[in-house]
Amino acid sequence: MDLAPRAPLQASARPPAGSLWLRGWLVPVGSVLAGLFAFGLFVAAIGHNPLVVFATIAEGGFASSFAWQNTLLRAAPLILTGLAVALPAQAGLVVIGAEGALALGALAASVVAVPIASQLAPQAVPLAWLAGGLAGMAAGGAWYALIGLFRARRGLNETISSLLMSYIAIAVFNHLVEGPLRDAASLNKPSTLPLPAEAMIGSLPGLDVHWGLLLGIVACLLAQIVISRSTWGFSLRVAGGNPRAAMLVGLPVGTLIVLACVAGGASAGLAGAIEVMAVHGSANASVLAGYGTTGILVSFMARHQPLAVIPVAVLMGGIAAAGSLLQRRLDMPDATTMVLQGLLFVAILAGDAFRPKDQR
């Protein structure tokens, strides 16, 4: 037997904590800059000056009070749909079906809030808003719960199942809006029965932006507190980081997955309900404006942190709001901003490969 003393084990090489923190922030910022650079190349390739285009986007989204109000109006649903991706991500899930949950939330709110508001006195209309919001959250949460159950019980990939279920939800939405729930008075644009004008959710004081913006901000604050300061949030993050270790210490991983999905779906459903009760007045095709899809980009850019979702949603809202100005001033398609969002998303996904493993 070899009894010669062995050299002490060397600690594994690990970058200093400051270096990890720096990389953790530099990589996403660099990814965004890379996406902007790629968009600049695209703009130059189609014959426009990238600097002029970027200046126009900044002007259309943030250069005036009107631009800011338009930006915040678009950011309000993006905050909630971004949260719909960020909450399941805490459990290690990539759920991208917020557009479907938003559609069902809008549909449920129109079915519940309209008859209640029609029967209540004006001073009791907030009860209709509460009922419509809860109905939207219930519809979105129940739809997302199926995704969580499929993942927890059958091991189905949540990204694929959520995407396919989103298409199903949108198809159900279109069928009901254009068929059984259609208002006979909506001729050219199929819609459900409209919410009375006096029952619409009003605007924040001093702004032409509805109260849904404040609700989204409050939801993000509460989500951040729960995730970072509660036992449930810690359990959720453990289950998302290492499901096997979580099961070994007795955590109900399957239940945590389903609950995270329910919370995300409820957030997207609430976004749809608010769009009906504060913007459109009924469920129609205008509700499906791609907020659920953009919410995926918002969450990934925010690194699935609820508080970071707020400024990123405002940024994406400003980019979307600038589309019409690009079309009027530079004769560029309104969908140009979607190209920018797509390039940013690809850059964020590519940059994720360079982030420290313990920060992914």
Side-chain angles (χ1 to χ4, degrees):
M1 180 182 296
D2 183 14
L3 298 179
R6 298 181 182 274
L9 294 175
Q10 297 294 326
S12 59
R14 178 181 175 85
S19 174
L20 289 175
W21 181 88
L22 188 61
R23 284 181 60 193
W25 282 106
L26 282 181
V27 169
V29 171
S31 299
V32 171
L33 292 177
L36 294 175
F37 180 75
F39 179 71
L41 294 179
F42 165 77
V43 167
I46 61 176
H48 292 274
N49 187 332
L51 296 179
V52 174
V53 171
F54 283 125
T56 305
I57 291 175
E59 180 181 352
F62 309 103
S64 65
S65 60
F66 174 80
W68 266 106
Q69 292 185 130
N70 194 12
T71 293
L72 294 177
L73 192 63
R74 294 170 183 266
L78 289 178
I79 292 174
L80 290 170
T81 56
L83 198 59
V85 180
L87 290 176
Q90 306 304 316
L93 306 177
V94 181
V95 178
I96 57 174
E99 189 78 2
L102 182 147
L104 294 182
L107 197 62
S110 66
V111 170
V112 172
V114 171
I116 293 178
S118 302
Q119 297 173 9
L120 292 177
Q123 60 271 22
V125 165
L127 293 176
W129 300 341
L130 178 61
L134 291 176
M137 293 174 67
W143 193 251
Y144 259 42
L146 295 176
I147 300 170
L149 285 171
F150 293 156
R151 179 68 175 85
R153 298 292 178 84
R154 307 302 299 176
L156 294 181
N157 183 281
E158 73 281 354
T159 306
I160 296 175
S161 63
S162 61
L163 178 62
L164 296 178
M165 287 184 65
S166 183
Y167 289 135
I168 295 172
I170 293 172
V172 170
F173 175 91
N174 290 329
H175 169 71
L176 293 178
V177 168
E178 297 176 9
L181 298 181
R182 179 173 180 172
D183 178 17
S186 60
L187 301 177
N188 297 325
K189 187 176 184 180
S191 305
T192 58
L193 290 171
L195 196 68
E198 62 275 10
M200 295 286 290
I201 296 177
S203 300
L204 291 165
L207 293 174
D208 191 20
V209 182
H210 55 74
W211 285 87
L213 176 66
L214 182 60
L215 285 177
I217 293 173
V218 171
C220 286
L221 291 173
L222 292 176
Q224 188 69 54
I225 292 172
V226 170
I227 290 170
S228 60
R229 301 295 180 182
S230 72
T231 303
W232 184 81
F234 177 74
S235 301
L236 190 65
R237 287 184 282 118
V238 171
N242 193 327
R244 180 171 297 180
M247 287 188 288
L248 288 175
V249 299
L251 292 178
V253 175
T255 302
L256 290 170
I257 287 175
V258 174
L259 290 177
C261 287
V262 169
S267 178
L270 179 60
I274 293 173
E275 283 295 295
V276 166
M277 297 186 294
V279 180
H280 302 283
S282 64
N284 54 62
S286 297
V287 174
L288 304 179
Y291 291 125
T293 305
T294 308
I296 304 170
L297 172 59
V298 169
S299 181
F300 272 84
M301 287 187 66
R303 296 178 60 187
H304 307 307
Q305 295 301 311
L307 273 184
V309 162
I310 300 171
V312 175
V314 172
L315 174 63
M316 291 297 104
I319 291 174
S324 58
L325 185 62
L326 286 175
Q327 188 176 34
R328 293 194 309 270
R329 182 173 296 180
L330 302 180
D331 197 28
M332 299 180 70
D334 186 47
T336 302
T337 55
M338 297 182 64
V339 176
L340 173 56
Q341 292 177 1
L343 290 173
L344 287 174
F345 189 42
V346 171
I348 288 291
L349 292 180
D352 190 67
F354 297 95
R355 278 170 47 194
K357 290 183 178 180
D358 59 346
Q359 295 184 8
R360 292 182 186 176

PDB file of all heavy atoms in Angstrom, residues 237-268:
ATOM      1  N   ARG A 237     -36.954  28.463  -6.634  1.00  0.00           N
ATOM      2  CA  ARG A 237     -35.652  28.633  -7.277  1.00  0.00           C
ATOM      3  C   ARG A 237     -34.775  27.393  -7.133  1.00  0.00           C
ATOM      4  O   ARG A 237     -34.007  27.055  -8.028  1.00  0.00           O
ATOM      5  CB  ARG A 237     -34.953  29.869  -6.702  1.00  0.00           C
ATOM      6  CG  ARG A 237     -35.570  31.185  -7.165  1.00  0.00           C
ATOM      7  CD  ARG A 237     -34.836  32.407  -6.671  1.00  0.00           C
ATOM      8  NE  ARG A 237     -35.144  32.693  -5.284  1.00  0.00           N
ATOM      9  CZ  ARG A 237     -34.262  32.687  -4.305  1.00  0.00           C
ATOM     10  NH1 ARG A 237     -33.001  32.386  -4.546  1.00  0.00           N
ATOM     11  NH2 ARG A 237     -34.615  32.987  -3.070  1.00  0.00           N
ATOM     12  N   VAL A 238     -34.898  26.711  -5.992  1.00  0.00           N
ATOM     13  CA  VAL A 238     -34.149  25.457  -5.828  1.00  0.00           C
ATOM     14  C   VAL A 238     -34.646  24.412  -6.817  1.00  0.00           C
ATOM     15  O   VAL A 238     -33.862  23.718  -7.474  1.00  0.00           O
ATOM     16  CB  VAL A 238     -34.291  24.940  -4.378  1.00  0.00           C
ATOM     17  CG1 VAL A 238     -33.702  23.536  -4.255  1.00  0.00           C
ATOM     18  CG2 VAL A 238     -33.592  25.881  -3.409  1.00  0.00           C
ATOM     19  N   ALA A 239     -35.978  24.312  -6.946  1.00  0.00           N
ATOM     20  CA  ALA A 239     -36.553  23.350  -7.892  1.00  0.00           C
ATOM     21  C   ALA A 239     -36.151  23.675  -9.323  1.00  0.00           C
ATOM     22  O   ALA A 239     -35.917  22.782 -10.141  1.00  0.00           O
ATOM     23  CB  ALA A 239     -38.074  23.328  -7.761  1.00  0.00           C
ATOM     24  N   GLY A 240     -36.049  24.952  -9.637  1.00  0.00           N
ATOM     25  CA  GLY A 240     -35.650  25.341 -10.977  1.00  0.00           C
ATOM     26  C   GLY A 240     -34.170  25.133 -11.239  1.00  0.00           C
ATOM     27  O   GLY A 240     -33.761  24.815 -12.355  1.00  0.00           O
ATOM     28  N   GLY A 241     -33.338  25.292 -10.194  1.00  0.00           N
ATOM     29  CA  GLY A 241     -31.903  25.138 -10.384  1.00  0.00           C
ATOM     30  C   GLY A 241     -31.462  23.690 -10.453  1.00  0.00           C
ATOM     31  O   GLY A 241     -30.614  23.334 -11.266  1.00  0.00           O
ATOM     32  N   ASN A 242     -32.053  22.840  -9.604  1.00  0.00           N
ATOM     33  CA  ASN A 242     -31.665  21.426  -9.577  1.00  0.00           C
ATOM     34  C   ASN A 242     -32.853  20.603  -9.093  1.00  0.00           C
ATOM     35  O   ASN A 242     -33.007  20.360  -7.887  1.00  0.00           O
ATOM     36  CB  ASN A 242     -30.456  21.212  -8.658  1.00  0.00           C
ATOM     37  CG  ASN A 242     -29.830  19.842  -8.842  1.00  0.00           C
ATOM     38  OD1 ASN A 242     -30.508  18.863  -9.137  1.00  0.00           O
ATOM     39  ND2 ASN A 242     -28.522  19.781  -8.664  1.00  0.00           N
ATOM     40  N   PRO A 243     -33.722  20.162 -10.001  1.00  0.00           N
ATOM     41  CA  PRO A 243     -34.933  19.421  -9.591  1.00  0.00           C
ATOM     42  C   PRO A 243     -34.626  18.162  -8.790  1.00  0.00           C
ATOM     43  O   PRO A 243     -35.342  17.833  -7.846  1.00  0.00           O
ATOM     44  CB  PRO A 243     -35.611  19.088 -10.926  1.00  0.00           C
ATOM     45  CG  PRO A 243     -35.072  20.082 -11.896  1.00  0.00           C
ATOM     46  CD  PRO A 243     -33.681  20.366 -11.452  1.00  0.00           C
ATOM     47  N   ARG A 244     -33.547  17.460  -9.150  1.00  0.00           N
ATOM     48  CA  ARG A 244     -33.233  16.216  -8.439  1.00  0.00           C
ATOM     49  C   ARG A 244     -32.850  16.509  -6.997  1.00  0.00           C
ATOM     50  O   ARG A 244     -33.296  15.815  -6.067  1.00  0.00           O
ATOM     51  CB  ARG A 244     -32.107  15.479  -9.157  1.00  0.00           C
ATOM     52  CG  ARG A 244     -31.710  14.170  -8.497  1.00  0.00           C
ATOM     53  CD  ARG A 244     -30.749  13.388  -9.363  1.00  0.00           C
ATOM     54  NE  ARG A 244     -31.372  13.001 -10.627  1.00  0.00           N
ATOM     55  CZ  ARG A 244     -30.747  12.305 -11.569  1.00  0.00           C
ATOM     56  NH1 ARG A 244     -29.480  11.931 -11.387  1.00  0.00           N
ATOM     57  NH2 ARG A 244     -31.362  11.995 -12.689  1.00  0.00           N
ATOM     58  N   ALA A 245     -32.020  17.524  -6.790  1.00  0.00           N
ATOM     59  CA  ALA A 245     -31.652  17.884  -5.421  1.00  0.00           C
ATOM     60  C   ALA A 245     -32.872  18.366  -4.644  1.00  0.00           C
ATOM     61  O   ALA A 245     -33.002  18.080  -3.447  1.00  0.00           O
ATOM     62  CB  ALA A 245     -30.582  18.978  -5.448  1.00  0.00           C
ATOM     63  N   ALA A 246     -33.762  19.084  -5.308  1.00  0.00           N
ATOM     64  CA  ALA A 246     -34.975  19.546  -4.645  1.00  0.00           C
ATOM     65  C   ALA A 246     -35.832  18.376  -4.177  1.00  0.00           C
ATOM     66  O   ALA A 246     -36.393  18.391  -3.070  1.00  0.00           O
ATOM     67  CB  ALA A 246     -35.770  20.443  -5.585  1.00  0.00           C
ATOM     68  N   MET A 247     -35.934  17.342  -4.995  1.00  0.00           N
ATOM     69  CA  MET A 247     -36.712  16.168  -4.607  1.00  0.00           C
ATOM     70  C   MET A 247     -36.047  15.412  -3.470  1.00  0.00           C
ATOM     71  O   MET A 247     -36.710  14.879  -2.578  1.00  0.00           O
ATOM     72  CB  MET A 247     -36.916  15.254  -5.818  1.00  0.00           C
ATOM     73  CG  MET A 247     -37.907  15.802  -6.828  1.00  0.00           C
ATOM     74  SD  MET A 247     -38.334  14.630  -8.137  1.00  0.00           S
ATOM     75  CE  MET A 247     -36.808  14.616  -9.080  1.00  0.00           C
ATOM     76  N   LEU A 248     -34.718  15.388  -3.470  1.00  0.00           N
ATOM     77  CA  LEU A 248     -33.998  14.686  -2.409  1.00  0.00           C
ATOM     78  C   LEU A 248     -34.214  15.334  -1.043  1.00  0.00           C
ATOM     79  O   LEU A 248     -34.204  14.637  -0.018  1.00  0.00           O
ATOM     80  CB  LEU A 248     -32.502  14.634  -2.732  1.00  0.00           C
ATOM     81  CG  LEU A 248     -32.087  13.699  -3.872  1.00  0.00           C
ATOM     82  CD1 LEU A 248     -30.597  13.832  -4.159  1.00  0.00           C
ATOM     83  CD2 LEU A 248     -32.426  12.246  -3.524  1.00  0.00           C
ATOM     84  N   VAL A 249     -34.389  16.644  -1.024  1.00  0.00           N
ATOM     85  CA  VAL A 249     -34.630  17.324   0.259  1.00  0.00           C
ATOM     86  C   VAL A 249     -36.115  17.427   0.575  1.00  0.00           C
ATOM     87  O   VAL A 249     -36.498  18.078   1.544  1.00  0.00           O
ATOM     88  CB  VAL A 249     -33.984  18.723   0.268  1.00  0.00           C
ATOM     89  CG1 VAL A 249     -32.485  18.622   0.093  1.00  0.00           C
ATOM     90  CG2 VAL A 249     -34.592  19.621  -0.799  1.00  0.00           C
ATOM     91  N   GLY A 250     -36.956  16.805  -0.248  1.00  0.00           N
ATOM     92  CA  GLY A 250     -38.374  16.712   0.067  1.00  0.00           C
ATOM     93  C   GLY A 250     -39.255  17.809  -0.484  1.00  0.00           C
ATOM     94  O   GLY A 250     -40.412  17.938  -0.064  1.00  0.00           O
ATOM     95  N   LEU A 251     -38.746  18.594  -1.418  1.00  0.00           N
ATOM     96  CA  LEU A 251     -39.586  19.649  -1.994  1.00  0.00           C
ATOM     97  C   LEU A 251     -40.556  19.062  -3.018  1.00  0.00           C
ATOM     98  O   LEU A 251     -40.180  18.189  -3.803  1.00  0.00           O
ATOM     99  CB  LEU A 251     -38.716  20.712  -2.672  1.00  0.00           C
ATOM    100  CG  LEU A 251     -37.836  21.568  -1.757  1.00  0.00           C
ATOM    101  CD1 LEU A 251     -37.002  22.533  -2.578  1.00  0.00           C
ATOM    102  CD2 LEU A 251     -38.688  22.328  -0.754  1.00  0.00           C
ATOM    103  N   PRO A 252     -41.811  19.541  -3.036  1.00  0.00           N
ATOM    104  CA  PRO A 252     -42.802  19.043  -4.010  1.00  0.00           C
ATOM    105  C   PRO A 252     -42.583  19.688  -5.375  1.00  0.00           C
ATOM    106  O   PRO A 252     -43.273  20.635  -5.750  1.00  0.00           O
ATOM    107  CB  PRO A 252     -44.140  19.457  -3.391  1.00  0.00           C
ATOM    108  CG  PRO A 252     -43.816  20.690  -2.608  1.00  0.00           C
ATOM    109  CD  PRO A 252     -42.408  20.511  -2.101  1.00  0.00           C
ATOM    110  N   VAL A 253     -41.634  19.182  -6.114  1.00  0.00           N
ATOM    111  CA  VAL A 253     -41.234  19.822  -7.368  1.00  0.00           C
ATOM    112  C   VAL A 253     -42.398  19.925  -8.342  1.00  0.00           C
ATOM    113  O   VAL A 253     -42.608  20.969  -8.972  1.00  0.00           O
ATOM    114  CB  VAL A 253     -40.054  19.050  -8.003  1.00  0.00           C
ATOM    115  CG1 VAL A 253     -39.708  19.627  -9.374  1.00  0.00           C
ATOM    116  CG2 VAL A 253     -38.838  19.099  -7.098  1.00  0.00           C
ATOM    117  N   GLY A 254     -43.178  18.858  -8.503  1.00  0.00           N
ATOM    118  CA  GLY A 254     -44.302  18.892  -9.428  1.00  0.00           C
ATOM    119  C   GLY A 254     -45.300  19.972  -9.071  1.00  0.00           C
ATOM    120  O   GLY A 254     -45.779  20.713  -9.937  1.00  0.00           O
ATOM    121  N   THR A 255     -45.626  20.090  -7.788  1.00  0.00           N
ATOM    122  CA  THR A 255     -46.562  21.134  -7.344  1.00  0.00           C
ATOM    123  C   THR A 255     -46.006  22.521  -7.585  1.00  0.00           C
ATOM    124  O   THR A 255     -46.728  23.435  -8.009  1.00  0.00           O
ATOM    125  CB  THR A 255     -46.880  20.950  -5.851  1.00  0.00           C
ATOM    126  OG1 THR A 255     -47.436  19.651  -5.632  1.00  0.00           O
ATOM    127  CG2 THR A 255     -47.855  22.007  -5.366  1.00  0.00           C
ATOM    128  N   LEU A 256     -44.718  22.709  -7.323  1.00  0.00           N
ATOM    129  CA  LEU A 256     -44.097  24.010  -7.550  1.00  0.00           C
ATOM    130  C   LEU A 256     -44.137  24.392  -9.031  1.00  0.00           C
ATOM    131  O   LEU A 256     -44.370  25.562  -9.371  1.00  0.00           O
ATOM    132  CB  LEU A 256     -42.655  23.984  -7.053  1.00  0.00           C
ATOM    133  CG  LEU A 256     -42.466  23.918  -5.534  1.00  0.00           C
ATOM    134  CD1 LEU A 256     -41.009  23.657  -5.186  1.00  0.00           C
ATOM    135  CD2 LEU A 256     -42.953  25.203  -4.877  1.00  0.00           C
ATOM    136  N   ILE A 257     -43.911  23.421  -9.900  1.00  0.00           N
ATOM    137  CA  ILE A 257     -43.970  23.687 -11.336  1.00  0.00           C
ATOM    138  C   ILE A 257     -45.364  24.140 -11.748  1.00  0.00           C
ATOM    139  O   ILE A 257     -45.530  25.129 -12.470  1.00  0.00           O
ATOM    140  CB  ILE A 257     -43.547  22.430 -12.120  1.00  0.00           C
ATOM    141  CG1 ILE A 257     -42.032  22.216 -12.018  1.00  0.00           C
ATOM    142  CG2 ILE A 257     -43.959  22.534 -13.590  1.00  0.00           C
ATOM    143  CD1 ILE A 257     -41.545  20.937 -12.651  1.00  0.00           C
ATOM    144  N   VAL A 258     -46.381  23.439 -11.272  1.00  0.00           N
ATOM    145  CA  VAL A 258     -47.756  23.789 -11.634  1.00  0.00           C
ATOM    146  C   VAL A 258     -48.116  25.167 -11.089  1.00  0.00           C
ATOM    147  O   VAL A 258     -48.720  25.996 -11.790  1.00  0.00           O
ATOM    148  CB  VAL A 258     -48.736  22.724 -11.114  1.00  0.00           C
ATOM    149  CG1 VAL A 258     -50.176  23.167 -11.358  1.00  0.00           C
ATOM    150  CG2 VAL A 258     -48.482  21.384 -11.794  1.00  0.00           C
ATOM    151  N   LEU A 259     -47.740  25.456  -9.839  1.00  0.00           N
ATOM    152  CA  LEU A 259     -48.071  26.749  -9.247  1.00  0.00           C
ATOM    153  C   LEU A 259     -47.365  27.899  -9.970  1.00  0.00           C
ATOM    154  O   LEU A 259     -47.942  28.973 -10.158  1.00  0.00           O
ATOM    155  CB  LEU A 259     -47.700  26.751  -7.769  1.00  0.00           C
ATOM    156  CG  LEU A 259     -48.568  25.875  -6.862  1.00  0.00           C
ATOM    157  CD1 LEU A 259     -48.049  25.915  -5.428  1.00  0.00           C
ATOM    158  CD2 LEU A 259     -50.030  26.323  -6.908  1.00  0.00           C
ATOM    159  N   ALA A 260     -46.119  27.678 -10.368  1.00  0.00           N
ATOM    160  CA  ALA A 260     -45.401  28.715 -11.117  1.00  0.00           C
ATOM    161  C   ALA A 260     -46.095  28.987 -12.445  1.00  0.00           C
ATOM    162  O   ALA A 260     -46.215  30.153 -12.877  1.00  0.00           O
ATOM    163  CB  ALA A 260     -43.960  28.296 -11.345  1.00  0.00           C
ATOM    164  N   CYS A 261     -46.570  27.928 -13.095  1.00  0.00           N
ATOM    165  CA  CYS A 261     -47.288  28.107 -14.357  1.00  0.00           C
ATOM    166  C   CYS A 261     -48.613  28.824 -14.142  1.00  0.00           C
ATOM    167  O   CYS A 261     -48.999  29.697 -14.922  1.00  0.00           O
ATOM    168  CB  CYS A 261     -47.523  26.752 -15.022  1.00  0.00           C
ATOM    169  SG  CYS A 261     -46.037  26.009 -15.737  1.00  0.00           S
ATOM    170  N   VAL A 262     -49.324  28.474 -13.073  1.00  0.00           N
ATOM    171  CA  VAL A 262     -50.595  29.138 -12.780  1.00  0.00           C
ATOM    172  C   VAL A 262     -50.379  30.630 -12.564  1.00  0.00           C
ATOM    173  O   VAL A 262     -51.143  31.468 -13.074  1.00  0.00           O
ATOM    174  CB  VAL A 262     -51.264  28.494 -11.545  1.00  0.00           C
ATOM    175  CG1 VAL A 262     -52.435  29.346 -11.062  1.00  0.00           C
ATOM    176  CG2 VAL A 262     -51.742  27.083 -11.872  1.00  0.00           C
ATOM    177  N   ALA A 263     -49.340  30.988 -11.808  1.00  0.00           N
ATOM    178  CA  ALA A 263     -49.057  32.407 -11.559  1.00  0.00           C
ATOM    179  C   ALA A 263     -48.736  33.139 -12.857  1.00  0.00           C
ATOM    180  O   ALA A 263     -49.207  34.260 -13.086  1.00  0.00           O
ATOM    181  CB  ALA A 263     -47.897  32.533 -10.570  1.00  0.00           C
ATOM    182  N   GLY A 264     -47.942  32.506 -13.725  1.00  0.00           N
ATOM    183  CA  GLY A 264     -47.624  33.135 -15.006  1.00  0.00           C
ATOM    184  C   GLY A 264     -48.847  33.288 -15.887  1.00  0.00           C
ATOM    185  O   GLY A 264     -49.063  34.335 -16.499  1.00  0.00           O
ATOM    186  N   GLY A 265     -49.680  32.240 -15.965  1.00  0.00           N
ATOM    187  CA  GLY A 265     -50.887  32.321 -16.778  1.00  0.00           C
ATOM    188  C   GLY A 265     -51.861  33.353 -16.263  1.00  0.00           C
ATOM    189  O   GLY A 265     -52.519  34.060 -17.042  1.00  0.00           O
ATOM    190  N   ALA A 266     -51.976  33.470 -14.931  1.00  0.00           N
ATOM    191  CA  ALA A 266     -52.862  34.481 -14.356  1.00  0.00           C
ATOM    192  C   ALA A 266     -52.407  35.887 -14.725  1.00  0.00           C
ATOM    193  O   ALA A 266     -53.232  36.781 -14.989  1.00  0.00           O
ATOM    194  CB  ALA A 266     -52.908  34.320 -12.836  1.00  0.00           C
ATOM    195  N   SER A 267     -51.099  36.095 -14.776  1.00  0.00           N
ATOM    196  CA  SER A 267     -50.569  37.407 -15.161  1.00  0.00           C
ATOM    197  C   SER A 267     -50.940  37.745 -16.603  1.00  0.00           C
ATOM    198  O   SER A 267     -51.405  38.861 -16.893  1.00  0.00           O
ATOM    199  CB  SER A 267     -49.048  37.412 -14.983  1.00  0.00           C
ATOM    200  OG  SER A 267     -48.494  38.640 -15.387  1.00  0.00           O
ATOM    201  N   ALA A 268     -50.763  36.789 -17.518  1.00  0.00           N
ATOM    202  CA  ALA A 268     -51.125  37.033 -18.917  1.00  0.00           C
ATOM    203  C   ALA A 268     -52.629  37.188 -19.073  1.00  0.00           C
ATOM    204  O   ALA A 268     -53.111  38.028 -19.852  1.00  0.00           O
ATOM    205  CB  ALA A 268     -50.621  35.881 -19.790  1.00  0.00           C
TER     206      ALA A 268
END
